[in-house]
Amino acid sequence: MILDSHIPEGPLAEKWTRYKNSQRLVNPANKRKLNIIVVGTGLAGASAAASLGALGFNVDIFCLQDSPRRAHSIAAQGGINAAKNYQNDGDSVERLFKDTIKGGDYRAREANVYRLAEVSGDIIDQCVAQGVPFARDYGGLLDNRSFGGAQVSRTFYARGQTGQQLLLGAYGALSREINRGSVKLHSRHEMMELVVEEGVAKGIIARDLVTGELERYAAHAVVVASGGYGNVYYLSTNAMNSNVSAAWACHRKGAFFANPCYVQIHPTCIPVHGDYQSKLTLMSESLRNDGRIWVPKKKEDAEAIRKGEKGPLDIAEQDRDYYLERRYPAFGNLVPRDVASRAAKERCDAGYGVGTTGLAVFLDFASAIERLGRDVIEQRYGNLFQMYQKITDQNPYEVPMMIYPAVHYTMGGLWVDYELQTTIPGLFAAGEANFSDHGANRLGASALMQGLADGYFVLPYTLQNYLADKIYEGAATTEGEAFEKAEQAVRDRIAKLLNINGRHSVDHYHKALGRIMWEYCGMARSKESLAKAAEEVEKLKQEFRSDVYVPGKAEEMNPELEKACRLTDYFELAQLIIADATQREESCGGHFRIEHQTEDGETQRDDENFMFVGAWEYHGADTPEELHKEQLNYEHIQIVKRNYK
Amino acid sequence: MHFTLHIWRQENAHAKGHFEKYEIDNISPDCSFLEMLDQLNEQLVGDKIAHPVCFDNDCREGICGMCGLYINGRPHGNDDGVTTCQLHMRKFTDGDEIWIEPWRAKAFPVVRDLVVDRSAFDKIIQAGGYISVTTGGVPDANTIPIPKYVADQAMDAAECIGCGACVAACKNASAMLFVGAKVSHLGLLPQGQVEHLDRVRNMIVKMDELGFGGCTNTYACEAECPKQIKRQNIARLNREWIGQMFGRDRKN
């Protein structure tokens, strides 16, 4: 099968305009006769449903929380990028495009990224009109800050809660459409299965998480905006309920899954402190604007700190190693995430780590507080400092924070073409659930941009193009064999899990899976470690299948059952991540193979052999998946070695 | 650390609930309250006696607003400015007895155990808690300058996470801090002015309809709000409510 990304003809800067000018439309009277299902109410899902509802389509939207406002987009802290050039510092669509491609280590699709940069400014306009209270300067105009991988200030922010404010904006727009009747909300519902008839997406099977009943929903098109799969590592910055199952249900039904090995490890998270820990908390990248990262220069100092004999304030200035500033003078503390994470790991592995476990580095604000005053720092990062203090019981205004990398975002996801359509006609994927825009590494403040770009400004166009001739098909119906079979498959899966009646809880297996993945398929991977991971995951999967205990019934609120269903999919996903990491014999962005590095420890790409998107096709449980390649053609951009020195 | 827990168990919305007593051991002081409950559930699953305790939670970093437990008579427990997920066991003393209940309010019926139905908050927002703009066709973001102090005030109000602690803390189960925060956030900004009076009216009418009580100025909501939303928002809400009575009529 040849993967066609359906990129429009013409020069890069005109592609999107040309597409919009020539696409097919749906007449206003017909829009209300067409049904669209949106799964997920994060930035991508909520903005898509609101925009499509406003156009007049009939939308059903699903979320597994009690309210659409809880989606994990809400936890995004730092900001959203846009090429507004309000700061007059040389920003432009072209520059945002180039930074994003370079940040992604030349593994993203040019046309998609250009479109993203092109619509970025519209997103800010839209959000301000919705009442998003972005930070402003004393003249009343919008303020910006810098994020990793850029030399301009193009990040818009609302204190340390940008994701929350953007999501509440989209949630407001969604609420308005619910009030108008164009969107129907199904909260506490989880998508369990995609229904495909004659190769086309026709609807979903959802489980009501309160009653446990299975319900059928039919539509002319399905949009999956269910987020990323970072929780396969158990400990991540994702929310507890974030999962891959909706996307994986699509994958099982034939949608290709692309680049699963591209997982972003965020450099600044609160370090792990105990076995009972359920999640890791992010400390925003924006802190690197003013915070300086360091470890002691001398091993004996590091050791003394680990033993609690010395504190960070006992280490004299000349005995501190500001290793990012030392290694990357041009970008300093603001190198991209993958670079900063590996540098922290390198120092800790070499024996310079701090904290009781030795797996932490300092993020120090002393010089910023001295330069700007405590008030300014408090205004910029107050809520983050408070959060840090509540969790660790230490005051970051007085002692440096301790941080360590943690799984944060997944660049891989469902393969989509230029229209965000997957390999199943009628099935679209948006936001973190798709793979399209970030290549092998996402730049800070670009996830919010991509989620809202997909929902507000891309899907409302491309879905219409798809739906234009669907009016001839008549009303969507849940009758028929395809729905029958899909529902029965879910019923069987649930019954099987409930009947195992083994000895260990779901979390027991999830934690074990997470440890394997972090140890052997985490920040640094090798052929040997991946082989080891493959072996251990297979063994654990078999144990899970025969010895898990899921209490309760199918027809009731049963969180253990929900977790068991999700973990079943994580096992398959973990095996695919390992397979993808094994075939990619190069290092790029978040994927670091220790066999492929330069002398000074930087990633070494192999453009000749690996400049492709790896899209995997499912062939059934316990069967190896098949790799398809979409070659990346860079017509506009000049490919160079990624260098932040 | 060791604790004796008294937890509200209720099989579903129609069943009769009761307190159940559990003992739990080996809890680290650095553990969060929800992680302590995770360990209790692990214990219950391991023993195969009881169904694990259901409680809502998601982001576990204090921003999604999904968690919310009534702990020893206080919403989100005995620490200020935090949600339940950010409450840590170091705030308790070894050997403490801890009473854990769901939010109690007519408008938030119990779903199971400690889980309640807060969709009433969504319905209030749907009644008008937004600025009616359709995607596209909006002016450039810098067209209307907004004084920094106004934007900051709007942001203070916008920080509400919709957890419902204000309602749970209030003896009248009033949602006026929640509604006041949204009305302030949007009403302070020039973009929100056009629909301002209608918004105030529609949200308050919906709030009353859903069974939330009125404010009698105890300010327990402000004291217990994990995001420290100010009671001034209630004052603004009352002022605007009176204002809309004298304002233009919708129909004219």
Side-chain angles (χ1 to χ4, degrees):
Chain A
M1 174 167 179
I2 294 165
L3 284 168
D4 185 351
S5 48
H6 296 112
I7 293 172
E9 292 298 313
L12 189 62
E14 287 169 32
K15 284 181 193 292
W16 182 231
T17 311
R18 285 196 191 194
Y19 176 89
K20 289 190 288 185
N21 288 342
S22 59
Q23 69 159 117
R24 298 177 301 171
L25 297 172
V26 180
N27 142 1
N30 281 343
K31 285 191 181 115
R32 63 173 171 269
K33 295 178 192 158
L34 293 168
N35 286 50
I36 300 168
I37 283 173
V38 179
V39 181
T41 58
L43 287 176
S47 60
S51 306
L52 292 163
L55 282 171
F57 291 105
N58 247 319
V59 183
D60 281 280
I61 190 163
F62 296 81
C63 68
L64 42 82
Q65 297 89 347
D66 68 330
S67 161
R69 66 182 292 159
R70 317 263 187 236
H72 199 52
S73 304
I74 203 143
Q77 298 169 349
I80 176 166
N81 286 330
K84 281 287 201 184
N85 196 27
Y86 282 162
Q87 305 303 325
N88 193 31
D89 56 1
D91 201 8
S92 62
V93 168
E94 178 81 16
R95 197 174 284 275
L96 173 54
F97 158 70
K98 280 183 177 158
D99 284 349
T100 309
I101 291 274
K102 179 185 171 194
D105 220 353
Y106 304 94
R107 290 293 176 267
R109 202 187 276 150
E110 261 190 346
N112 286 55
V113 177
Y114 196 90
R115 175 178 65 191
L116 177 67
E118 210 177 329
V119 303
S120 65
D122 297 343
I123 298 172
I124 304 303
D125 299 343
Q126 184 67 30
C127 294
V128 166
Q130 287 171 343
V132 170
F134 282 122
R136 290 176 182 268
D137 57 30
Y138 287 99
L141 301 180
L142 292 162
D143 193 21
N144 292 113
R145 59 188 175 199
S146 298
F147 256 61
Q151 287 174 315
V152 295
S153 287
R154 63 160 75 97
T155 306
F156 294 79
Y157 65 100
R159 291 192 191 142
Q161 294 115 293
T162 316
Q164 179 198 26
Q165 294 310 314
L166 296 179
L167 185 65
L168 292 181
Y171 163 73
L174 178 69
S175 297
R176 173 180 177 236
E177 294 308 318
I178 294 171
N179 192 38
R180 284 161 38 132
S182 60
V183 177
K184 196 156 180 257
L185 170 68
H186 307 268
S187 56
R188 292 200 198 268
H189 274 69
E190 180 162 11
M191 170 177 167
M192 303 299 288
E193 196 65 274
L194 178 77
V195 181
V196 179
E197 211 173 64
E198 290 167 0
V200 178
K202 290 289 183 187
I204 65 168
I205 306 292
R207 182 167 177 268
D208 180 331
L209 298 180
V210 174
T211 63
E213 271 164 47
L214 298 182
E215 297 168 3
R216 301 176 182 185
Y217 296 90
H220 297 90
V222 176
V223 178
V224 169
S226 54
Y229 50 83
N231 270 350
V232 67
Y233 288 82
Y234 188 71
L235 285 180
S236 79
T237 64
N238 288 3
M240 301 304 288
N241 293 307
S242 301
N243 69 80
V244 77
S245 290
W248 202 255
C250 301
H251 180 50
R252 272 200 310 264
K253 284 289 171 77
F256 289 6
F257 206 96
N259 296 339
C261 78
Y262 293 160
V263 173
Q264 178 166 82
I265 317 274
H266 198 293
T268 52
C269 300
I270 299 179
V272 177
H273 52 79
D275 291 341
Y276 51 82
Q277 200 161 352
S278 57
K279 80 155 275 160
L280 297 172
T281 304
L282 177 74
M283 286 286 109
S284 167
E285 177 157 321
S286 62
L287 293 171
R288 288 198 270 146
N289 271 291
D290 289 309
R292 298 177 69 195
I293 294 179
W294 64 275
V295 290
K297 253 184 204 160
K298 299 180 194 151
K299 269 190 188 164
E300 55 269 28
D301 281 344
E303 206 163 301
I305 291 175
R306 288 200 289 270
K307 285 186 186 147
E309 290 160 5
K310 273 188 184 176
L313 303 177
D314 301 328
I315 311 296
E317 188 61 27
Q318 69 273 13
D319 291 331
R320 298 175 177 194
D321 176 14
Y322 296 92
Y323 57 86
L324 287 177
E325 296 169 29
R326 168 170 61 80
R327 285 178 66 179
Y328 308 99
F331 282 70
N333 290 297
L334 281 175
V335 291
R337 292 173 177 177
D338 56 326
V339 178
S341 290
R342 274 194 296 276
K345 180 176 158 57
E346 188 275 327
R347 282 292 83 188
C348 292
D349 288 352
Y352 296 92
V354 296
T356 48
T357 55
L359 292 177
V361 299
F362 291 121
L363 176 60
D364 199 335
F365 292 87
S367 62
I369 291 175
E370 200 180 300
R371 182 165 41 97
L372 304 163
R374 187 182 154 138
D375 288 357
V376 175
I377 296 299
E378 198 166 338
Q379 249 183 36
R380 285 187 190 164
Y381 313 112
N383 72 314
L384 298 170
F385 277 45
Q386 187 240 21
M387 199 195 288
Y388 182 86
Q389 187 161 11
K390 291 290 179 193
I391 293 173
T392 62
D393 211 19
Q394 285 182 339
N395 182 354
Y397 293 102
E398 285 159 15
V399 287
M401 287 184 177
M402 278 194 283
I403 50 152
Y404 197 68
V407 173
H408 179 56
Y409 184 90
T410 52
M411 281 72 69
L414 291 171
W415 185 90
V416 290
D417 63 9
Y418 189 72
E419 298 186 289
L420 303 185
Q421 186 161 218
T422 67
T423 49
I424 300 175
L427 175 68
F428 295 73
E432 193 179 349
N434 75 28
F435 88 104
S436 73
D437 296 351
H438 307 297
N441 172 57
R442 177 176 66 75
L443 289 182
S446 284
L448 304 184
M449 172 173 69
Q450 187 224 338
L452 290 180
D454 288 358
Y456 283 135
F457 298 109
V458 179
L459 283 176
Y461 292 91
T462 62
L463 260 174
Q464 273 199 75
N465 191 42
Y466 171 77
L467 290 169
D469 55 11
K470 294 293 172 272
I471 195 73
Y472 304 110
E473 289 182 3
T477 160
T478 57
E479 301 299 316
E481 203 190 351
F483 274 93
E484 196 70 50
K485 271 190 172 163
E487 191 183 319
Q488 193 54 45
V490 179
R491 220 174 278 289
D492 292 346
R493 224 162 50 225
I494 289 175
K496 214 164 141 186
L497 285 167
L498 288 171
N499 283 335
I500 298 171
N501 206 7
R503 289 175 301 171
H504 299 294
S505 70
V506 178
D507 279 354
H508 167 86
Y509 290 103
H510 197 169
K511 282 179 185 174
L513 176 65
R515 274 195 297 268
I516 297 170
M517 292 300 284
W518 179 246
E519 190 68 29
Y520 304 116
C521 190
M523 253 190 290
R525 302 147 177 191
S526 68
K527 200 169 186 171
E528 292 74 40
S529 80
L530 291 166
K532 176 94 177 148
E535 190 193 316
E536 300 232 333
V537 169
E538 177 61 30
K539 210 169 90 193
L540 189 70
K541 184 173 85 175
Q542 299 304 340
E543 273 174 45
F544 169 78
R545 284 180 183 174
S546 60
D547 210 10
V548 72
Y549 171 57
V550 185
K553 304 190 290 271
E555 289 82 25
E556 65 176 350
M557 179 177 255
N558 190 344
E560 289 292 312
L561 175 61
E562 292 163 27
K563 286 194 282 186
C565 290
R566 294 169 196 163
L567 186 57
T568 309
D569 297 333
Y570 279 137
F571 274 113
E572 291 192 337
L573 168 71
Q575 292 184 306
L576 189 63
I577 294 177
I578 295 164
D580 192 41
T582 309
Q583 68 81 20
R584 195 164 278 280
E585 286 273 3
E586 63 160 352
S587 294
C588 57
H591 171 64
F592 189 70
R593 286 284 300 265
I594 56 176
E595 304 95 321
H596 305 284
Q597 55 179 313
T598 61
E599 273 173 21
D600 45 3
E602 304 295 333
T603 54
Q604 194 154 45
R605 293 197 320 260
D606 176 356
D607 289 342
E608 209 168 304
N609 296 307
F610 288 95
M611 198 170 264
F612 63 79
V613 173
W616 296 85
E617 184 179 5
Y618 191 83
H619 284 302
D622 301 316
T623 315
E625 301 207 10
E626 186 185 344
L627 177 66
H628 301 268
K629 296 177 183 176
E630 179 203 340
Q631 290 299 331
L632 292 167
N633 302 313
Y634 289 100
E635 290 166 0
H636 191 80
I637 215 154
Q638 199 197 343
I639 297 159
V640 292
K641 184 172 171 290
R642 202 167 64 133
N643 183 3
Y644 291 97
K645 286 187 192 285
Chain B
M1 298 169 93
H2 170 267
F3 300 102
T4 305
L5 309 174
H6 300 270
I7 301 180
W8 185 257
R9 304 300 311 254
Q10 183 174 336
E11 205 167 324
N12 56 52
H14 314 291
K16 193 169 152 41
H18 66 281
F19 278 105
E20 190 80 44
K21 191 172 155 187
Y22 302 98
E23 300 290 333
I24 186 150
D25 238 326
N26 292 325
I27 297 293
S28 155
D30 288 331
C31 174
S32 77
F33 197 83
L34 297 183
E35 285 165 350
M36 185 271 293
L37 288 180
D38 286 344
Q39 288 175 72
L40 173 72
N41 276 344
E42 195 71 7
Q43 195 175 303
L44 294 178
V45 172
D47 296 346
K48 294 195 181 184
I49 313 167
H51 196 284
V53 180
C54 290
F55 59 93
D56 264 336
N57 71 100
D58 201 19
C59 80
R60 296 212 177 180
E61 49 186 275
I63 192 76
C64 76
M66 190 137 175
C67 67
L69 301 174
Y70 211 74
I71 302 162
N72 287 343
R74 286 186 68 183
H76 297 304
N78 61 340
D79 193 4
D80 291 331
V82 298
T83 53
T84 305
C85 63
Q86 286 184 305
L87 176 67
H88 282 71
M89 298 316 289
R90 67 177 83 94
K91 291 279 164 192
F92 294 87
T93 315
D94 191 19
D96 270 359
E97 283 200 40
I98 307 175
W99 295 79
I100 310 169
E101 296 166 77
W103 283 174
R104 286 177 299 173
K106 186 173 147 201
F108 293 162
V110 172
V111 175
R112 178 165 199 174
D113 296 340
L114 304 170
V115 177
V116 298
D117 178 359
R118 282 169 293 194
S119 55
F121 268 8
D122 285 331
K123 289 183 187 128
I124 294 177
I125 298 292
Q126 285 157 19
Y130 43 76
I131 293 170
S132 299
V133 285
T134 308
T135 308
V138 296
D140 183 87
N142 259 350
T143 307
I144 310 173
I146 302 175
K148 182 169 160 46
Y149 74 93
V150 174
D152 284 348
Q153 270 186 348
M155 181 64 201
D156 287 341
E159 286 189 11
C160 167
I161 56 173
C163 65
C166 48
V167 175
C170 178
K171 60 182 189 284
N172 307 324
S174 169
M176 284 180 69
L177 190 66
F178 170 78
V179 178
K182 187 49 71 185
V183 161
S184 294
H185 158 208
L186 299 175
L188 284 164
L189 298 170
Q191 288 86 355
Q193 277 304 314
V194 178
E195 302 166 283
H196 184 55
L197 298 178
D198 288 339
R199 180 182 308 119
V200 172
R201 181 191 305 134
N202 293 339
M203 288 179 80
I204 290 191
V205 166
K206 181 55 85 176
M207 175 186 92
D208 289 344
E209 184 190 310
L210 291 165
F212 292 101
C215 173
T216 48
N217 302 298
T218 309
Y219 310 136
C221 51
E222 184 190 51
E224 297 294 7
C225 174
K227 296 293 146 181
Q228 298 171 325
I229 306 284
K230 297 272 184 305
R231 62 174 181 262
Q232 279 75 4
N233 292 300
I234 299 181
R236 188 176 287 112
L237 181 68
N238 282 326
R239 195 162 64 235
E240 307 292 323
W241 169 252
I242 293 167
Q244 64 83 29
M245 291 200 270
F246 299 104
R248 76 193 146 83
D249 194 311
R250 243 186 117 99
K251 294 185 191 87
N252 297 327

